[in-house]
Amino acid sequence: MGLTKAAHVGISVSDLDRAVAFYRELTGKEPIVAGETMNSRVFGHSQGLSDANLRYATFNIDNIGIDVIEFQDPVGERTNGAANRPGSMHLCFEVDDFDAVFSRMKDAGYDFLGPDYTFQAGEVTPDAALGTRVAYFNDPDGTNLEIIEPQGGFAN
């Protein structure tokens, strides 16, 4: 199919204003649009829904857009998307100085799901990825998020 360039990631949220505040703090960016609306049965059908009455905001970061979308009708149920559940996904933010970012986030009250991790020999291939550092956390609705300082095979 040749799909090689991502345009944006869409994240369904239960409270748009809370999500905008979270992603504004996380990215340090203002949304390019915020509190916009869509009311379209046809658009809902395109997503397999009965309707699509929603509010949304969009953040543009260096290499992708992040759409946060509050479906008002039909309202969905929280997925509780644990990392090991098929269909679950995560959004990963690349950092240049893992220690500095991780420390700032902890000081700001971000609740990481576990300790940070550095890829070790015997646990990951390729060997060029050794030294990659990661930490995982969630947004207010449980969306899986990650920070990464990639090395070798994990560098994009």
Side-chain angles (χ1 to χ4, degrees), residues 76-150:
E77 295 179 22
R78 185 174 168 152
T79 64
N80 295 319
N84 64 339
R85 290 187 176 186
S88 176
M89 54 94 42
H90 69 271
L91 174 59
C92 182
F93 296 91
E94 184 174 333
V95 300
D96 292 329
D97 185 339
F98 187 92
D99 287 326
V101 173
F102 186 71
S103 180
R104 271 196 322 269
M105 291 178 73
K106 286 184 76 166
D107 289 347
Y110 286 83
D111 187 21
F112 287 91
L113 300 176
D116 62 302
Y117 176 75
T118 302
F119 287 90
Q120 305 292 315
E123 295 178 346
V124 66
T125 59
D127 286 342
L130 299 179
T132 293
R133 297 186 66 192
V134 297
Y136 297 90
F137 59 106
N138 292 139
D139 77 2
D141 285 297
T143 301
N144 298 312
L145 303 172
E146 173 187 4
I147 57 172
I148 187 170
E149 185 179 59

Side-chain angles (χ1 to χ4, degrees), residues 15-26:
D15 181 326
L16 183 67
D17 298 323
R18 179 179 67 175
V20 166
F22 176 86
Y23 284 96
R24 178 186 289 127
E25 179 181 326
L26 184 67

